[in-house]
C-alpha cells in the first residue's frame, strides 16, 4: 500500500501569488484612520451649524456678562472679584443727593439703559438679572434630566408592572399644566431661588422619563443587550453602560430646549409677582415692576426702556437656547423629539 | 357714617379709623346743643384742595355715576368689616345719628338735636359695685381670657389673672343698672327726626338705634367703641340716651355715628348682614343696594322717598334750591385690582370716577383738560410698626435708628410726586384741630426725630449695639402688602436705605392685602420679629393717630400688631382725652396731645411714613365732585353732603 494513498495534494496556495498580486483597493494599513464616534460626528455637524453657533456664543456672552457683572461672594469669601456693571443693581440712585438721577430716567450716557421705577440703573440690573434666571434654567434641567433619565430607564428596561406603575405616576404629573403646578408650588413654599428650582423640577422630570423610557424600549431589543445579559452582566451595568448611552440623544436635545422653557417660566412667575421679592434684579420681576407703566394717564408717555431691556434679555437668551437646541437636534439626528415643547412654547 | 379704623391697601387709601375728634364738642358747654357746634371753628379749615362748587340752578338730575375701586367689600356688616373699601359702600346705604363735613365739624343727622345732658367726674373703679365675677380660662394656645359671652365694657383695674381665678367685670348686662343709679361719665341725648323710613318701609325709632349698637358687642369694632361707650337706651320712640364710661372729650364723635339698621337686619346673627349671606343690607341712606356680584361690581339706586330735606336742619344755610338728596339715579361701582386697569377704564369712558391711581398717573390726569383730580388732605398715613417685644427691637435706639433711615422727603417727592406729604409729625393736618395748639410749631419740633440722617442713625446704633452686645448685621424682615406699587416702592427704598448701613440686613416680603391683614390682626404676629408696613385711614380726632397703633386695647385688632404697651404713653393718651378738664378745655387737650406726640416719637414703636392726599379722578362729565379726607366716604360725600353744600351731577 502506497503511503501516498488517500492524501490530497492541494496546490496554488503559495503565498507569493497572494502577496504579490495587484491590490484590490487603495486601502492600506498606513492610510487607515480611527473610528469616529457619533458624538464626534455630532459635534462636527453642530459646529458647522451657523445658527447654533450664534446661539452658543450668545449664551456664552450672556453667562459671562452675568457672572462678571458683580462680584460673587460665597460664605463671606469673594470668589469672583470682577465687577462689569456700573452700579450695584439695588442702589437707588436718587437716594444720593449728589447723583443727578431720578425714576424712569431715559437712556443716557450715565445710564445707558435708563433707570427703573425706583431710580436704579437698568443696565446693571439687566446684567445681574440673568443670574437667577439662567442658573435656575441650568440647575433645573440638570436635576430633571438626571432624575428623568434614571426613572425612565428603570421603567423602560424592566417593563411589566414596574413600567406600568412608574409611568402611571408620570401620567399623573403630566395631568397638571407645568406652569400652573409651578405656581401652586411657589404659592405653598413661598418665593426664593431653591423654591423656584423645586417648582420647575417637580413637573419637569416627567418629560425626560417618558422620552428615555420610549427610547429604551427600542434599544433594549438590540442583540448587544441580549449578549450582555447572556454574559451575566448585572442590570445596573446593562442599563447604564449599554442601554442608556444609546438612548440618550433625544434627552440631550430635550434638555437643551428645556433650559429656555424654564427661563421663560421663571420670568413668568416673576412677572406675576411670585418667585422673588420685589426689587430683586431678575428679568421677570423687573418686568412686573414696570407693568403698570404700560397704561399711562392722558398724555403720559410709556418709559419703554424699563420693559424693553429686561424683556429683550429674556427674548435673547431663550431664542439663543432654542437655536442651540435645534442645532443639537440636527447634530444628533434625533428629530423625533421635535415635537417636544420648546422654550416659550409650553 | 361710621368712625372706625380701617386698613387700606391702595394709594392714599390708608384707611384708618375715623376716631373723630372732639374738635366741635369741646366747645360745648355742659348741656350745649350740637346744633350750635357747627361753627366751633376748631378744625374748620377745609381740607378739600381747590374745591369745586355747584350752582343748584344748573344741576341736571338723573344718570348713572360709574366708579371703580380697587376691591370689593369684605362684608356689608359694618361691625365686622375692616376694609375701607367696604365703608365706601356701607356709607351709601347706612346712616348714623350724626354726620360730619369735610373739615370734621359734627352735625346732627338722623337726630334732630343732640345734647350733652351731663358730665360727671368719675373713675372706672366706681363701677365696682355693679361688676360681676367671671372665671379666667385658657384657650388652646395657652392665652388667658375672661370666660364670658357678654360684651365686657369695663374690667376692674385690680384684676390679676396671675393670682386670681376670677375677674371682676362690668358687662353690657349690668351697665343699665349703673346708669339707672346715676353712675356714668357723660350723658348725651339724641332726639331723632320723626317719620324717617328705612329702605324696607319700617319707621326709624329709638329701639332701632339700641339694637344697632348691640351689633357692636363682641365684634371686631367692639374695642373702638367700648373703650368709652357705657350704655345706649331708648326713651320713648324718638329719644336715645347714650352714656360714656368716664368724661371723654371725643365721646360724641367716636360714639355717636354708628350705623342704624331696621329690625329686620339688626337682629341677624353676626356677619350675616350681607348679600352673600342672602340678606340685603338696609338703612336709611340715600342709596339702596340693587345688585351685588362678589369681587366684580355693585349697583345702587337712589332711595325712593329719601327722608332728608334741607329744611329739616337748622344748620343748613345754603340755597333753598339745594337738592334734598343725591341727584344721580344710580351708582355702579366696579372692583378692579390693577391701578392701570382702573386708569384705562377712566380714559376709555367706561367709568366717571377712578380711585387709587398711581402717583405717575395722577400727574398725567392733573395736566389733562379732560379730567380733574379731586384732591383733599387725607386722613390716612402709612406706618412701619416694630416688633417691640423681640430683640434687638426692644431697644428704642435701634428703632429710632431705622426711623432716621426712612427718606421721607424722597418718598413724598420721588415716589408720590408730591401727592403724599412727609409725616414729620404723627399728626396729619386734618386732625390738627384737637392735636396741637400750633401745627406748624409741632411740625418744626417733631421734625428732628424724623429727618433722614444716617449719621445720627449710626450713633444710635453704635450705642445700642455696644451696650446690649447686639449681633450684627441685624436682620430686618420688612413686610408690606401687594396691590399698591407706590407702597412697595416705598418699602424698597427703605430697604435699600437700611442696607446701606453695615449694621442692617433688610429683606422685603410682599403679601396679598387681605392675607397680610389677617396675619397682622392675629394674636401671633407680635413675636415673629417682623416689621410691618401698611396704611391706615383715620379721622378728625387726634387720639386715633396715636392710640390705634400703640394702645394695648388695639392689640390683635386694628392696629397694634406687635403688642405694644407703654405705660407712659397709655397714661398720656388717657390724660389727653378722658377727664372733665380736657372735655371742657380744648386748649388743655391740645397741649396734652403735644406731650403724646413727643412720647410717640421717643418710643418709636411706629415710624410714620407719609400723610395721604385723598384723590379721586373724574371725567369731564362729572360736575361738582370733591373728595372726603377719608377713603371711607369718598363716593357718598362726593355725591351728596349738605353740610358742605356738596353735590355732584352728570353733564352728559
Amino acid at each position: 500500500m502506497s503511503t501516498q494513498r488517500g492524501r490530497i495534494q492541494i496546490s496554488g496556495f503559495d503565498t507569493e501569488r497572494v502577496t504579490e498580486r495587484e491590490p484590490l483597493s487603495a486601502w492600506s494599513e498606513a492610510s487607515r484612520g480611527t473610528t469616529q464616534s457619533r458624538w464626534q460626528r455630532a459635534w462636527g455637524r453642530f459646529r458647522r451649524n451657523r445658527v447654533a453657533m450664534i446661539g452658543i456664543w450668545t449664551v456664552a456672552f450672556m453667562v459671562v456678562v452675568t457672572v462678571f457683572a458683580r462680584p460673587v461672594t460665597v460664605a463671606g469669601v469673594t470668589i469672583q472679584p470682577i465687577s462689569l456693571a456700573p452700579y450695584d443693581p439695588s442702589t437707588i440712585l436718587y437716594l444720593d443727593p449728589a447723583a443727578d438721577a431720578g425714576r424712569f430716567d431715559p437712556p443716557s450716557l450715565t445710564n445707558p439703559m435708563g433707570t427703573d421705577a425706583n431710580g436704579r440703573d437698568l443696565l446693571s440690573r439687566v446684567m445681574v438679572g440673568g443670574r437667577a434666571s439662567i442658573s435656575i434654567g441650568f440647575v433645573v434641567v440638570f436635576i430633571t434630566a438626571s432624575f428623568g433619565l434614571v426613572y425612565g430607564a428603570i421603567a423602560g428596561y424592566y417593563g411589566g408592572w414596574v413600567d406600568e406603575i412608574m409611568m402611571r405616576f408620570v401620567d399623573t404629573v403630566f395631568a397638571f399644566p407645568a406652569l400652573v403646578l409651578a405656581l401652586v408650588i411657589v404659592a405653598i413654599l413661598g418665593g426664593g431661588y431653591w423654591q423656584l428650582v423645586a417648582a420647575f423640577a417637580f413637573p419637569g422630570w416627567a418629560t425626560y422619563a417618558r422620552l428615555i423610557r420610549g427610547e429604551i424600549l427600542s434599544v433594549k431589543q438590540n442583540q448587544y443587550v441580549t449578549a450582555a445579559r447572556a454574559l451575566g452582566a448585572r442590570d445596573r451595568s446593562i442599563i447604564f453602560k449599554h442601554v442608556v448611552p444609546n438612548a440618550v440623544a433625544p434627552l440631550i436635545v430635550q434638555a437643551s430646549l428645556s433650559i429656555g422653557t424654564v427661563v421663560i417660566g421663571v420670568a413668568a412667575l416673576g412677572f406675576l409677582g411670585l418667585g422673588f421679592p420685589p426689587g430683586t434684579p431678575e428679568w421677570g420681576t423687573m418686568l412686573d415692576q414696570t407693568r403698570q407703566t404700560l397704561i399711562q394717564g392722558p398724555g403720559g408717555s410709556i418709559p419703554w426702556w424699563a420693559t424693553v431691556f429686561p424683556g429683550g434679555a429674556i427674548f435673547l437668551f431663550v431664542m439663543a437656547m432654542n437655536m442651540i437646541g435645534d442645532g443639537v437636534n440636527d447634530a444628533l439626528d434625533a428629530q423625533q423629539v421635535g415635537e417636544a415643547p420648546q422654550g416659550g412654547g409650553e | 357714617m361710621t368712625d372706625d379704623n380701617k386698613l387700606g391697601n391702595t394709594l392714599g387709601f390708608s384707611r384708618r379709623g375715623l376716631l373723630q375728634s372732639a374738635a366741635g364738642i369741646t366747645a360745648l358747654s355742659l348741656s350745649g346743643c350740637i346744633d350750635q357746634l357747627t361753627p366751633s371753628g376748631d378744625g374748620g379749615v377745609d381740607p378739600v384742595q381747590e374745591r369745586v362748587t355747584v350752582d343748584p340752578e344748573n344741576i341736571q338730575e338723573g344718570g348713572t355715576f360709574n366708579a371703580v375701586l380697587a376691591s370689593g367689600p369684605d362684608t356689608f356688616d359694618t361691625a365686622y368689616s375692616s376694609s375701607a373699601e367696604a365703608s365706601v359702600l356701607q356709607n351709601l346705604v347706612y346712616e348714623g345719628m350724626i354726620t360730619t363735613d369735610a373739615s370734621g365739624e359734627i352735625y346732627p343727622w338722623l337726630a334732630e338735636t343732640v345734647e350733652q345732658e351731663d358730665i360727671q367726674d368719675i373713675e372706672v373703679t366706681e363701677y365696682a359695685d355693679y361688676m360681676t365675677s367671671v372665671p379666667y380660662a385658657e384657650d388652646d394656645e395657652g392665652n388667658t381670657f375672661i370666660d364670658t359671652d357678654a360684651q365686657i365694657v369695663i374690667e376692674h383695674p385690680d384684676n390679676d389673672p396671675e393670682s386670681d381665678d376670677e375677674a371682676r367685670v362690668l358687662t353690657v348686662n349690668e351697665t343699665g343698672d349703673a346708669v339707672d343709679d346715676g353712675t356714668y361719665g357723660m350723658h348725651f341725648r339724641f332726639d331723632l327726626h320723626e317719620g324717617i323710613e328705612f329702605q324696607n318701609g319700617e319707621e326709624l325709632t329709638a329701639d332701632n338705634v339700641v339694637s344697632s349698637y348691640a351689633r357692636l358687642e363682641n365684634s371686631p369694632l367692639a374695642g373702638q367703641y367700648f373703650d368709652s361707650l357705657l350704655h345706649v337706651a331708648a326713651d320713648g320712640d324718638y329719644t336715645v340716651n347714650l352714656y360714656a364710661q368716664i368724661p371723654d372729650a371725643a365721646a360724641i364723635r367716636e360714639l355717636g355715628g354708628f350705623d342704624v339698621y331696621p329690625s329686620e337686619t339688626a337682629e341677624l346673627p353676626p356677619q350675616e348682614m350681607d348679600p352673600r349671606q342672602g340678606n340685603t343690607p338696609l338703612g336709611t341712606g340715600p342709596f339702596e343696594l340693587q345688585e351685588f356680584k362678589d369681587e366684580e361690581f355693585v349697583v345702587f339706586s337712589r332711595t325712593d322717598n329719601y327722608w332728608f330735606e334741607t329744611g329739616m336742619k337748622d344748620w343748613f344755610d345754603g340755597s333753598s334750591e339745594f337738592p334734598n338728596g343725591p341727584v344721580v339715579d344710580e351708582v355702579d361701582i366696579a372692583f378692579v385690582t390693577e391701578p392701570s386697569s382702573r386708569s384705562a377704564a377712566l380714559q376709555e369712558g367706561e367709568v366717571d370716577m377712578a380711585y387709587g391711581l398711581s402717583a405717575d398717573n395722577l400727574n398725567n390726569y392733573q395736566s389733562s383738560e379732560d379730567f380733574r383730580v379731586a384732591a383733599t388732605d387725607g386722613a390716612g398715613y402709612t406706618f412701619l410698626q416694630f416688633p417691640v417685644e423681640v430683640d434687638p427691637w426692644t431697644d428704642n435706639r435701634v428703632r429710632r435708628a431705622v426711623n432716621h433711615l426712612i427718606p421721607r422727603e424722597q418718598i413724598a417727592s420721588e415716589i408720590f410726586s408730591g401727592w403724599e406729604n412727609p409725616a414729620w409729625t404723627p399728626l396729619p393736618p386734618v386732625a390738627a384741630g384737637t392735636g396741637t395748639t400750633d401745627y406748624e410749631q409741632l411740625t418744626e419740633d417733631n421734625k428732628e426725630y424724623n429727618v433722614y440722617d444716617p449719621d445720627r442713625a449710626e450713633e444710635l446704633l453704635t450705642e445700642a449695639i455696644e451696650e446690649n452686645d447686639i449681633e450684627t448685621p441685624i436682620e430686618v424682615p420688612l413686610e408690606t402688602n401687594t396691590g399698591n406699587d407706590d407702597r412697595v416702592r416705598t418699602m424698597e427704598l427703605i430697604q435699600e436705605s437700611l442696607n446701606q448701613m453695615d449694621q442692617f440686613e433688610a429683606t422685603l416680603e410682599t403679601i396679598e392685602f387681605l392675607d397680610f391683614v389677617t396675619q397682622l390682626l392675629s394674636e401671633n404676629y407680635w413675636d415673629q420679629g417682623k416689621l410691618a408696613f401698611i396704611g391706615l385711614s383715620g379721622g378728625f380726632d387726634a387720639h386715633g393717630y396715636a392710640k390705634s397703633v400703640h394702645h394695648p386695647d388695639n392689640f390683635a385688632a386694628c392696629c397694634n400688631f406687635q403688642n405694644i404697651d407703654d405705660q407712659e404713653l397709655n397714661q398720656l393718651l388717657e390724660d389727653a382725652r378722658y377727664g372733665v378738664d380736657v372735655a371742657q378745655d380744648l386748649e388743655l387737650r391740645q397741649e396734652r396731645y403735644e406731650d403724646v406726640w413727643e412720647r410717640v416719637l421717643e418710643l418709636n414703636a411706629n415710624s410714620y411714613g407719609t400723610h395721604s392726599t385723598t384723590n379721586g379722578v373724574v371725567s369731564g362729565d362729572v360736575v361738582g365732585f370733591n373728595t372726603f379726607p377719608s377713603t371711607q366716604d369718598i363716593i357718598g360725600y362726593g355725591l351728596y353732603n349738605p353740610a358742605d353744600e356738596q353735590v355732584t351731577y352728570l353733564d352728559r
Side-chain angles (χ1 to χ4, degrees), chain B residues 9 64 92-93 106 141 160 164 196 199 203 231 270 293 328-329 333 368 379 436 474 500 511 513 564 646 648 652:
Chain B
N9 69 333
T64 299
L92 295 175
V93 178
I106 298 172
E141 291 171 357
D160 183 4
D164 304 336
I196 295 178
Q199 290 155 356
E203 193 197 348
H231 189 63
K293 190 149 189 198
V328 298
D329 287 338
I333 301 169
S368 166
T436 176
I474 298 167
Q500 286 186 357
I511 304 165
F513 178 66
I564 301 162
Q646 168 62 44
T648 294
R652 301 224 200 259

Side-chain angles (χ1 to χ4, degrees), chain A residues 206-230:
Chain A
T207 312
Y208 300 101
R210 193 160 70 173
L211 199 63
I212 203 84
R213 178 241 180 202
E215 282 296 303
I216 279 173
L217 284 181
S218 108
V219 170
K220 76 174 182 181
Q221 306 298 334
N222 288 335
Q223 288 179 342
Y224 58 81
V225 176
T226 316
R229 197 180 290 140

Side-chain angles (χ1 to χ4, degrees), chain A residues 90 118 120 289 292 296-297, chain B residues 338 340 347 485 489 492:
Chain A
S90 59
N118 267 58
R120 293 174 292 218
Q289 295 213 295
Q292 297 291 335
Q296 292 286 317
Chain B
E338 295 285 331
S340 59
Q347 286 181 74
D485 283 0
R489 273 178 206 136
E492 286 180 43

